[in-house]
Coordinates of all heavy atoms in Angstrom, one line a residue:
M287 N 9.2 4.3 41.0 CA 9.0 5.1 39.9 C 9.9 4.7 38.7 O 9.4 4.7 37.6 CB 9.3 6.6 40.2 CG 8.9 7.6 39.2 SD 7.1 7.6 39.1 CE 6.9 8.9 38.0
K288 N 11.1 4.2 39.0 CA 12.0 3.8 37.9 C 11.5 2.5 37.3 O 11.6 2.3 36.1 CB 13.4 3.5 38.4 CG 14.2 4.8 38.8 CD 15.5 4.5 39.2 CE 16.3 5.8 39.6 NZ 17.7 5.5 40.0
K289 N 10.8 1.6 38.1 CA 10.3 0.4 37.6 C 9.1 0.7 36.6 O 9.0 0.1 35.6 CB 9.8 -0.5 38.7 CG 10.9 -1.2 39.5 CD 10.3 -2.1 40.5 CE 11.5 -2.7 41.3 NZ 11.0 -3.7 42.3
F290 N 8.3 1.7 37.0 CA 7.2 2.1 36.2 C 7.7 2.6 34.8 O 7.1 2.2 33.8 CB 6.3 3.2 36.8 CG 5.2 3.7 36.0 CD1 4.1 2.9 35.8 CD2 5.3 4.9 35.4 CE1 3.0 3.4 35.0 CE2 4.3 5.4 34.6 CZ 3.1 4.6 34.4
G291 N 8.7 3.4 34.8 CA 9.3 3.9 33.6 C 9.8 2.8 32.7 O 9.7 2.8 31.5
A292 N 10.5 1.8 33.3 CA 11.1 0.7 32.6 C 10.0 -0.2 32.0 O 10.0 -0.6 30.8 CB 12.0 -0.1 33.5
V293 N 8.9 -0.4 32.7 CA 7.8 -1.2 32.2 C 7.1 -0.5 31.1 O 6.7 -1.1 30.1 CB 6.8 -1.5 33.4 CG1 5.5 -2.1 32.8 CG2 7.4 -2.5 34.4
L294 N 6.9 0.8 31.2 CA 6.3 1.6 30.2 C 7.1 1.6 28.9 O 6.6 1.4 27.8 CB 6.1 3.1 30.7 CG 5.4 4.0 29.7 CD1 4.0 3.5 29.4 CD2 5.4 5.4 30.3
F295 N 8.4 1.7 29.1 CA 9.3 1.7 27.9 C 9.2 0.3 27.2 O 9.1 0.3 26.0 CB 10.8 1.9 28.4 CG 11.8 1.8 27.3 CD1 11.8 2.8 26.3 CD2 12.6 0.7 27.2 CE1 12.8 2.7 25.2 CE2 13.5 0.6 26.1 CZ 13.6 1.6 25.2
L296 N 9.2 -0.8 28.0 CA 9.1 -2.1 27.4 C 7.8 -2.3 26.6 O 7.7 -2.9 25.5 CB 9.3 -3.2 28.4 CG 10.7 -3.3 28.9 CD1 10.8 -4.3 30.1 CD2 11.7 -3.8 27.8
C297 N 6.7 -1.8 27.2 CA 5.4 -1.9 26.6 C 5.4 -1.1 25.3 O 4.9 -1.6 24.2 CB 4.3 -1.4 27.5 SG 4.0 -2.5 28.9
L298 N 5.9 0.1 25.3 CA 6.0 0.8 24.0 C 6.9 0.2 23.0 O 6.6 0.2 21.8 CB 6.5 2.3 24.3 CG 5.5 3.2 25.1 CD1 6.2 4.5 25.5 CD2 4.3 3.4 24.3
L299 N 7.9 -0.4 23.4 CA 8.8 -1.1 22.5 C 8.1 -2.3 21.8 O 8.2 -2.5 20.6 CB 10.1 -1.6 23.2 CG 11.2 -2.2 22.4 CD1 11.7 -1.1 21.4 CD2 12.3 -2.7 23.3
V300 N 7.4 -3.1 22.6 CA 6.6 -4.2 22.1 C 5.6 -3.8 21.1 O 5.4 -4.3 20.0 CB 6.1 -5.1 23.2 CG1 5.1 -6.1 22.7 CG2 7.2 -5.8 24.0
L301 N 4.8 -2.7 21.5 CA 3.7 -2.2 20.6 C 4.3 -1.7 19.3 O 3.8 -1.9 18.3 CB 2.9 -1.1 21.4 CG 2.0 -1.6 22.4 CD1 1.4 -0.4 23.2 CD2 0.9 -2.5 21.9
G302 N 5.4 -1.0 19.4 CA 6.1 -0.4 18.3 C 6.6 -1.5 17.3 O 6.4 -1.4 16.1
S303 N 7.1 -2.5 17.8 CA 7.6 -3.6 16.9 C 6.5 -4.3 16.3 O 6.6 -4.7 15.1 CB 8.5 -4.6 17.7 OG 7.8 -5.3 18.7
S304 N 5.3 -4.5 17.0 CA 4.2 -5.2 16.3 C 3.6 -4.3 15.3 O 3.2 -4.8 14.2 CB 3.2 -5.6 17.4 OG 2.6 -4.5 18.0
F305 N 3.6 -3.0 15.5 CA 3.1 -2.1 14.5 C 4.0 -2.1 13.2 O 3.5 -2.2 12.1 CB 3.0 -0.7 15.0 CG 2.6 0.3 14.0 CD1 1.3 0.4 13.6 CD2 3.5 1.2 13.4 CE1 0.9 1.3 12.6 CE2 3.2 2.1 12.5 CZ 1.9 2.2 12.1
L306 N 5.3 -2.2 13.4 CA 6.2 -2.2 12.3 C 6.1 -3.5 11.5 O 6.1 -3.4 10.3 CB 7.6 -2.1 12.9 CG 8.8 -2.0 11.8 CD1 8.6 -0.8 10.9 CD2 10.1 -2.0 12.5
Q307 N 5.8 -4.6 12.2 CA 5.7 -5.8 11.5 C 4.4 -5.8 10.6 O 4.4 -6.3 9.5 CB 5.6 -7.0 12.5 CG 6.9 -7.4 13.1 CD 6.8 -8.5 14.1 OE1 5.7 -8.9 14.5 NE2 7.9 -9.0 14.5
S308 N 3.3 -5.3 11.2 CA 2.1 -5.2 10.4 C 2.2 -4.3 9.2 O 1.7 -4.5 8.1 CB 0.9 -4.8 11.3 OG 1.0 -3.5 11.7
A309 N 2.9 -3.2 9.4 CA 3.1 -2.2 8.3 C 4.0 -2.8 7.2 O 3.7 -2.7 6.0 CB 3.8 -0.9 8.8
M310 N 5.0 -3.6 7.6 CA 5.8 -4.2 6.6 C 5.1 -5.3 5.9 O 5.3 -5.5 4.7 CB 7.1 -4.7 7.2 CG 8.0 -3.6 7.7 SD 9.5 -4.2 8.4 CE 10.4 -4.9 7.0
A311 N 4.2 -6.0 6.6 CA 3.4 -7.1 5.9 C 2.5 -6.5 4.8 O 2.4 -7.0 3.8 CB 2.6 -7.8 7.0
G312 N 1.9 -5.3 5.1 CA 1.1 -4.7 4.1 C 1.9 -4.3 3.0 O 1.4 -4.3 1.8
S313 N 3.1 -3.8 3.2 CA 3.9 -3.3 2.1 C 4.3 -4.5 1.2 O 4.4 -4.3 0.0 CB 5.1 -2.6 2.8 OG 6.3 -2.9 2.1
S314 N 4.6 -5.7 1.8 CA 5.0 -6.8 0.9 C 3.8 -7.3 0.1 O 4.0 -7.7 -1.0 CB 5.6 -7.9 1.7 OG 4.7 -8.5 2.6
F315 N 2.6 -7.1 0.7 CA 1.4 -7.5 -0.1 C 1.3 -6.6 -1.3 O 1.1 -7.0 -2.4 CB 0.2 -7.3 0.8 CG -1.1 -7.3 0.1 CD1 -1.7 -8.5 -0.4 CD2 -1.8 -6.1 -0.3 CE1 -2.9 -8.5 -1.1 CE2 -3.0 -6.1 -1.0 CZ -3.5 -7.3 -1.4
C316 N 1.5 -5.3 -1.1 CA 1.4 -4.3 -2.2 C 2.5 -4.5 -3.2 O 2.3 -4.4 -4.4 CB 1.4 -2.9 -1.7 SG -0.2 -2.4 -0.8
D317 N 3.7 -4.8 -2.7 CA 4.8 -5.0 -3.6 C 4.6 -6.1 -4.6 O 4.8 -6.0 -5.8 CB 6.1 -5.2 -2.8 CG 6.6 -4.0 -2.1 OD1 6.1 -2.9 -2.5 OD2 7.5 -4.1 -1.3
S318 N 4.1 -7.3 -4.0 CA 3.9 -8.4 -4.9 C 2.7 -8.2 -5.8 O 2.8 -8.6 -7.0 CB 3.7 -9.7 -4.0 OG 2.5 -9.6 -3.3
K319 N 1.6 -7.6 -5.4 CA 0.5 -7.4 -6.2 C 0.8 -6.4 -7.3 O 0.5 -6.6 -8.5 CB -0.7 -6.9 -5.4 CG -1.3 -7.9 -4.5 CD -2.0 -9.0 -5.3 CE -2.8 -9.9 -4.3 NZ -3.5 -10.9 -5.0
C320 N 1.5 -5.3 -7.0 CA 1.9 -4.3 -8.0 C 2.9 -4.8 -9.0 O 2.9 -4.4 -10.1 CB 2.4 -3.0 -7.3 SG 1.0 -2.1 -6.5
S321 N 3.8 -5.7 -8.5 CA 4.8 -6.3 -9.4 C 4.1 -7.1 -10.5 O 4.4 -7.0 -11.7 CB 5.8 -7.2 -8.7 OG 6.6 -6.4 -7.9
A322 N 3.1 -7.8 -10.1 CA 2.3 -8.6 -11.1 C 1.5 -7.7 -12.0 O 1.5 -7.8 -13.2 CB 1.4 -9.6 -10.4
R323 N 0.9 -6.6 -11.4 CA 0.0 -5.7 -12.2 C 0.9 -4.9 -13.2 O 0.4 -4.7 -14.3 CB -0.6 -4.7 -11.2 CG -1.5 -3.7 -11.8 CD -2.9 -4.2 -12.0 NE -3.8 -3.2 -12.6 CZ -4.9 -3.5 -13.2 NH1 -5.3 -4.8 -13.3 NH2 -5.7 -2.6 -13.7
C324 N 2.1 -4.6 -12.8 CA 2.9 -3.7 -13.7 C 3.9 -4.5 -14.5 O 4.8 -3.9 -15.2 CB 3.7 -2.7 -12.8 SG 2.5 -1.5 -12.0
S325 N 3.8 -5.8 -14.5 CA 4.9 -6.6 -15.2 C 5.0 -6.3 -16.7 O 6.1 -6.5 -17.3 CB 4.6 -8.1 -15.0 OG 3.3 -8.5 -15.6
K326 N 3.9 -5.9 -17.3 CA 4.0 -5.6 -18.8 C 3.9 -4.1 -19.1 O 3.8 -3.8 -20.3 CB 2.9 -6.3 -19.5 CG 3.0 -7.9 -19.4 CD 1.9 -8.5 -20.2 CE 2.0 -10.0 -20.1 NZ 1.0 -10.7 -20.8
A327 N 4.0 -3.3 -18.1 CA 3.9 -1.8 -18.3 C 5.1 -1.3 -19.1 O 6.3 -1.7 -18.8 CB 3.8 -1.1 -17.0
G328 N 4.9 -0.3 -19.9 CA 6.0 0.3 -20.7 C 6.8 1.2 -19.7 O 8.0 1.3 -19.9
M329 N 6.2 1.9 -18.8 CA 6.9 2.7 -17.8 C 6.8 2.0 -16.5 O 5.9 2.4 -15.6 CB 6.3 4.1 -17.8 CG 6.5 4.8 -19.1 SD 5.8 6.5 -18.9 CE 6.3 7.2 -20.5
Q330 N 7.6 1.0 -16.2 CA 7.4 0.2 -15.1 C 7.6 0.9 -13.7 O 6.8 0.7 -12.8 CB 8.4 -1.0 -15.1 CG 8.1 -2.1 -14.2 CD 8.3 -3.4 -14.8 OE1 9.1 -3.6 -15.6 NE2 7.5 -4.4 -14.4
E331 N 8.6 1.8 -13.6 CA 8.8 2.5 -12.4 C 7.6 3.4 -12.0 O 7.2 3.5 -10.9 CB 10.1 3.4 -12.5 CG 11.4 2.6 -12.4 CD 12.6 3.5 -12.4 OE1 12.5 4.6 -11.8 OE2 13.6 3.1 -12.9
R332 N 7.1 4.1 -13.0 CA 5.9 4.9 -12.8 C 4.7 4.1 -12.4 O 3.9 4.4 -11.5 CB 5.6 5.7 -14.0 CG 4.4 6.6 -13.9 CD 3.9 7.0 -15.3 NE 4.1 8.5 -15.4 CZ 3.9 9.1 -16.5 NH1 3.6 8.5 -17.6 NH2 4.1 10.4 -16.6
C333 N 4.5 3.0 -13.1 CA 3.4 2.1 -12.7 C 3.5 1.5 -11.3 O 2.5 1.6 -10.6 CB 3.4 0.9 -13.7 SG 2.0 -0.3 -13.5
L334 N 4.7 1.1 -10.9 CA 4.9 0.6 -9.6 C 4.7 1.7 -8.5 O 4.1 1.4 -7.5 CB 6.3 0.0 -9.4 CG 6.6 -1.3 -10.2 CD1 8.1 -1.6 -10.2 CD2 5.8 -2.4 -9.6
K335 N 5.1 2.9 -8.8 CA 4.9 4.0 -7.9 C 3.4 4.3 -7.6 O 3.0 4.3 -6.5 CB 5.6 5.3 -8.4 CG 5.3 6.5 -7.6 CD 5.9 7.7 -8.2 CE 5.5 9.0 -7.4 NZ 6.0 10.2 -8.1
Y336 N 2.7 4.4 -8.7 CA 1.2 4.8 -8.5 C 0.4 3.6 -8.1 O -0.5 3.7 -7.3 CB 0.7 5.4 -9.8 CG 1.2 6.8 -10.0 CD1 2.2 7.1 -10.9 CD2 0.8 7.8 -9.2 CE1 2.7 8.4 -11.1 CE2 1.3 9.1 -9.3 CZ 2.2 9.4 -10.2 OH 2.7 10.6 -10.4
C337 N 0.8 2.4 -8.5 CA 0.1 1.2 -8.0 C 0.3 1.1 -6.5 O -0.6 0.8 -5.7 CB 0.6 0.0 -8.7 SG -0.2 -1.6 -8.2
G338 N 1.5 1.3 -6.0 CA 1.9 1.3 -4.6 C 1.1 2.3 -3.8 O 0.6 2.0 -2.7
I339 N 0.9 3.5 -4.3 CA 0.2 4.5 -3.6 C -1.3 4.1 -3.5 O -1.9 4.2 -2.4 CB 0.3 5.9 -4.4 CG1 1.7 6.4 -4.3 CG2 -0.8 6.9 -3.9 CD1 1.9 7.6 -5.2
C340 N -1.8 3.6 -4.6 CA -3.2 3.2 -4.6 C -3.5 1.9 -3.7 O -4.5 1.9 -3.0 CB -3.7 2.8 -6.1 SG -3.6 4.3 -7.1
C341 N -2.5 1.0 -3.8 CA -2.7 -0.2 -2.9 C -2.6 0.2 -1.4 O -3.4 -0.4 -0.6 CB -1.6 -1.2 -3.3 SG -1.6 -2.7 -2.3
D342 N -1.7 1.1 -1.1 CA -1.6 1.5 0.3 C -2.9 2.1 0.8 O -3.3 1.9 1.9 CB -0.5 2.5 0.5 CG 0.9 1.8 0.5 OD1 1.0 0.6 0.7 OD2 1.9 2.5 0.3
K343 N -3.5 2.9 -0.1 CA -4.8 3.5 0.3 C -6.0 2.6 0.3 O -6.8 2.6 1.2 CB -5.0 4.7 -0.6 CG -6.2 5.5 -0.2 CD -6.2 6.8 -1.0 CE -7.3 7.7 -0.5 NZ -6.8 9.0 -0.1
C344 N -6.0 1.7 -0.7 CA -7.2 0.8 -0.9 C -7.1 -0.6 -0.3 O -8.1 -1.3 -0.1 CB -7.5 0.8 -2.4 SG -7.9 2.3 -3.1
Q345 N -5.8 -1.0 -0.1 CA -5.5 -2.4 0.4 C -6.1 -3.4 -0.6 O -6.4 -4.5 -0.2 CB -6.1 -2.6 1.8 CG -5.4 -1.8 2.8 CD -3.9 -2.1 2.9 OE1 -3.5 -3.2 3.0 NE2 -3.1 -1.0 2.8
C346 N -6.1 -3.1 -1.9 CA -6.4 -4.1 -2.9 C -5.8 -3.6 -4.2 O -5.6 -2.4 -4.4 CB -7.9 -4.4 -3.0 SG -8.8 -3.0 -3.6
V347 N -5.6 -4.6 -5.1 CA -5.1 -4.3 -6.5 C -5.8 -5.3 -7.4 O -5.9 -6.5 -7.1 CB -3.6 -4.6 -6.6 CG1 -3.1 -4.4 -8.0 CG2 -2.8 -3.7 -5.7
P348 N -6.4 -4.8 -8.5 CA -7.1 -5.7 -9.4 C -6.2 -6.8 -10.0 O -5.0 -6.5 -10.2 CB -7.6 -4.8 -10.5 CG -7.6 -3.4 -9.9 CD -6.5 -3.4 -8.9
S349 N -6.7 -7.9 -10.3 CA -5.9 -9.0 -10.9 C -5.6 -8.7 -12.3 O -6.2 -7.8 -13.0 CB -6.7 -10.3 -10.9 OG -7.9 -10.2 -11.6
G350 N -4.6 -9.3 -12.8 CA -4.1 -9.1 -14.2 C -3.2 -7.9 -14.4 O -2.9 -7.2 -13.4
T351 N -2.8 -7.7 -15.6 CA -1.9 -6.6 -15.9 C -2.7 -5.4 -16.4 O -2.1 -4.3 -16.5 CB -0.9 -7.0 -17.0 OG1 -1.6 -7.5 -18.2 CG2 0.0 -8.1 -16.5
Y352 N -4.0 -5.5 -16.8 CA -4.7 -4.4 -17.3 C -6.2 -4.6 -17.0 O -6.7 -5.8 -17.1 CB -4.5 -4.2 -18.7 CG -5.2 -2.9 -19.3 CD1 -4.6 -1.7 -19.1 CD2 -6.4 -3.0 -20.0 CE1 -5.2 -0.5 -19.6 CE2 -7.0 -1.9 -20.5 CZ -6.4 -0.7 -20.3 OH -7.1 0.4 -20.8
G353 N -7.0 -3.6 -16.8 CA -8.4 -3.8 -16.6 C -8.8 -4.4 -15.3 O -8.0 -4.3 -14.3
N354 N -9.9 -5.1 -15.2 CA -10.4 -5.7 -14.0 C -10.6 -4.8 -12.8 O -10.6 -5.2 -11.7 CB -9.6 -6.9 -13.6 CG -9.5 -8.0 -14.7 OD1 -10.4 -8.2 -15.4 ND2 -8.3 -8.5 -14.8
K355 N -10.7 -3.5 -13.1 CA -10.8 -2.5 -12.0 C -12.1 -2.7 -11.2 O -12.2 -2.1 -10.1 CB -10.6 -1.1 -12.5 CG -9.2 -0.8 -12.9 CD -8.9 0.6 -13.2 CE -7.5 0.9 -13.5 NZ -7.2 2.3 -13.8
H356 N -13.1 -3.3 -11.8 CA -14.4 -3.6 -11.0 C -14.1 -4.4 -9.8 O -14.9 -4.4 -8.8 CB -15.4 -4.3 -11.9 CG -15.0 -5.6 -12.4 ND1 -14.1 -5.8 -13.4 CD2 -15.3 -6.9 -11.9 CE1 -13.9 -7.1 -13.6 NE2 -14.6 -7.8 -12.7
E357 N -13.0 -5.1 -9.7 CA -12.7 -6.0 -8.5 C -12.3 -5.1 -7.3 O -12.4 -5.6 -6.2 CB -11.5 -6.9 -8.8 CG -11.8 -7.9 -9.9 CD -10.6 -8.7 -10.3 OE1 -9.5 -8.4 -9.8 OE2 -10.8 -9.7 -11.1
C358 N -11.9 -3.9 -7.5 CA -11.5 -3.0 -6.5 C -12.0 -1.6 -6.7 O -11.3 -0.8 -7.3 CB -10.0 -3.0 -6.4 SG -9.3 -2.2 -5.0
P359 N -13.2 -1.3 -6.3 CA -13.8 0.0 -6.5 C -13.0 1.2 -6.0 O -12.9 2.2 -6.7 CB -15.2 0.0 -5.8 CG -15.5 -1.5 -5.7 CD -14.2 -2.2 -5.6
C360 N -12.4 1.1 -4.9 CA -11.6 2.2 -4.3 C -10.4 2.5 -5.3 O -10.1 3.6 -5.6 CB -11.0 1.8 -3.0 SG -9.8 2.9 -2.3
Y361 N -9.7 1.4 -5.7 CA -8.6 1.5 -6.7 C -9.1 2.2 -8.0 O -8.5 3.1 -8.5 CB -8.1 0.1 -7.0 CG -6.8 0.0 -7.7 CD1 -5.6 -0.1 -7.1 CD2 -6.8 0.0 -9.1 CE1 -4.4 -0.2 -7.7 CE2 -5.6 -0.1 -9.8 CZ -4.4 -0.2 -9.1 OH -3.2 -0.4 -9.8
R362 N -10.3 1.8 -8.4 CA -10.8 2.3 -9.7 C -11.2 3.7 -9.6 O -11.0 4.5 -10.5 CB -12.1 1.4 -10.0 CG -12.9 1.9 -11.2 CD -14.3 1.3 -11.3 NE -15.1 1.8 -10.2 CZ -16.0 1.0 -9.6 NH1 -16.3 -0.2 -10.0 NH2 -16.7 1.5 -8.6
D363 N -11.7 4.2 -8.4 CA -12.3 5.5 -8.3 C -11.3 6.6 -7.9 O -11.6 7.8 -7.9 CB -13.4 5.5 -7.3 CG -14.6 4.6 -7.8 OD1 -14.7 4.4 -9.0 OD2 -15.4 4.2 -6.9
L364 N -10.0 6.2 -7.6 CA -9.0 7.3 -7.2 C -8.7 8.1 -8.5 O -8.4 7.5 -9.5 CB -7.8 6.6 -6.6 CG -7.9 6.1 -5.2 CD1 -6.6 5.5 -4.8 CD2 -8.2 7.2 -4.2
K365 N -8.7 9.4 -8.4 CA -8.4 10.3 -9.5 C -7.2 11.2 -9.2 O -7.0 11.5 -8.0 CB -9.6 11.2 -9.8 CG -10.9 10.4 -10.0 CD -10.9 9.7 -11.4 CE -12.3 9.1 -11.6 NZ -12.3 8.0 -12.4
N366 N -6.5 11.6 -10.2 CA -5.4 12.5 -10.0 C -6.0 14.0 -10.0 O -7.2 14.2 -10.1 CB -4.3 12.4 -11.1 CG -4.8 12.6 -12.5 OD1 -5.8 13.3 -12.7 ND2 -4.0 12.2 -13.5
S367 N -5.1 15.0 -10.0 CA -5.6 16.3 -9.9 C -6.3 16.8 -11.1 O -7.1 17.8 -11.1 CB -4.4 17.3 -9.6 OG -3.5 17.2 -10.7
K368 N -6.1 16.1 -12.3 CA -6.8 16.5 -13.5 C -8.1 15.7 -13.7 O -8.7 15.8 -14.8 CB -5.8 16.2 -14.7 CG -4.6 17.1 -14.6 CD -3.7 16.8 -15.8 CE -2.4 17.7 -15.6 NZ -1.4 17.4 -16.6
G369 N -8.5 14.9 -12.8 CA -9.7 14.1 -12.8 C -9.6 12.8 -13.6 O -10.5 12.1 -13.9
K370 N -8.4 12.4 -14.0 CA -8.1 11.2 -14.7 C -7.8 10.1 -13.7 O -7.4 10.3 -12.6 CB -7.0 11.3 -15.7 CG -7.2 12.5 -16.7 CD -6.8 12.1 -18.0 CE -7.2 13.3 -18.9 NZ -7.2 12.9 -20.3
P371 N -8.0 8.8 -14.1 CA -7.7 7.7 -13.2 C -6.2 7.8 -12.7 O -5.3 7.9 -13.5 CB -7.9 6.4 -14.0 CG -8.8 6.9 -15.1 CD -8.5 8.3 -15.4
K372 N -6.0 7.6 -11.4 CA -4.7 7.7 -10.8 C -4.0 6.3 -10.8 O -2.8 6.2 -11.0 CB -4.8 8.1 -9.3 CG -3.5 8.2 -8.6 CD -3.7 8.8 -7.2 CE -2.4 9.3 -6.7 NZ -2.6 10.5 -5.8
C373 N -4.8 5.3 -10.7 CA -4.2 3.9 -10.5 C -4.1 3.2 -11.9 O -5.0 3.2 -12.6 CB -5.0 3.1 -9.6 SG -5.4 4.0 -8.0
P374 N -2.9 2.5 -12.1 CA -2.7 1.8 -13.3 C -3.5 0.5 -13.4 O -3.9 0.0 -12.4 CB -1.2 1.5 -13.3 CG -0.8 1.5 -11.9 CD -1.7 2.5 -11.2

C-alpha cells in the first residue's frame, strides 16, 4: 500500500510539472506578443493587462501595434461590460 501511494505521488508530481511548463510557455507567448502590440501605447500598463487577458482567452494577438484584428476574430469580438471592444 505504501508503494502504491509513493507511485501515485510521483505520477501526480510529474503531471503537475508538465502542466506548469505548458502554462508558463503560453504565458511567455502572450507576454512577447502583447509587448509588441502595446509598444506604442500611451497607457502601456493598461494595454498589457487587457492584451494579456485577451491573449490567454483567445491564444492569439493581432500583428502590429494597432488594427489587424481580422487576424484574430476571438480577440476582435471580446467586449467589456459596456459593449465596447475589450482588447487593445
Side-chain angles (χ1 to χ4, degrees):
M287 192 65 176
K288 288 182 181 182
K289 286 183 182 181
F290 177 74
V293 169
L294 182 62
F295 176 73
L296 287 174
C297 288
L298 290 174
L299 188 62
V300 169
L301 288 174
S303 67
S304 65
F305 175 74
L306 181 61
Q307 286 177 349
S308 66
M310 290 181 72
S313 140
S314 66
F315 166 79
C316 289
D317 289 347
S318 64
K319 293 289 188 179
C320 288
S321 291
R323 180 86 177 160
C324 296
S325 64
K326 295 182 179 178
M329 297 183 173
Q330 198 140 28
E331 284 184 35
R332 179 194 248 174
C333 182
L334 290 170
K335 175 185 174 183
Y336 288 106
C337 181
I339 291 169
C340 296
C341 179
D342 285 341
K343 187 166 186 127
C344 299
Q345 293 302 308
C346 65
V347 175
S349 61
T351 57
Y352 185 80
N354 300 324
K355 289 188 177 181
H356 64 279
E357 297 174 353
C358 186
C360 171
Y361 190 96
R362 175 193 66 211
D363 297 338
L364 286 177
K365 305 286 185 209
N366 65 17
S367 61
K368 296 178 182 174
K370 302 223 178 198
K372 181 175 198 148
C373 308

